Amino acid sequence: METYKIGAKVFYFEDKLRGDFEIKEDIVYGAFVSRATGDLYYYLSHEQYPAFCVADTMEKAEELRAKYKEYAEAYMEQVD
């Protein structure tokens, strides 16, 4: 997992379970590690996103989104 400094331009998508998972561009305002889970989160201009949704290039964001989409679809099949 990569880390990004405050002020870095990044590409991200929302970690919802259904939808189009549109990739957007934003700036890193900060980061924190969850004490409960150990997961890294980034503060972007509107809200926080888990690190697995944030990348420094569009290509990397597309790769992360494809992996996440597979996970979300498999999860929702089990739930439905």
Side-chain angles (χ1 to χ4, degrees), residues 4 6 28-33 40-43:
Y4 306 107
I6 293 172
V28 174
Y29 282 77
F32 73 96
V33 175
L40 174 62
Y41 288 85
Y42 286 103
Y43 288 112

Side-chain angles (χ1 to χ4, degrees), residues 1-21:
M1 181 176 302
E2 296 184 36
T3 57
Y4 306 107
K5 295 181 179 186
I6 293 172
K9 179 178 83 169
V10 293
F11 298 89
Y12 72 99
F13 59 92
E14 294 182 37
D15 60 333
K16 54 190 176 181
L17 293 172
R18 290 193 166 120
D20 62 358
F21 305 98

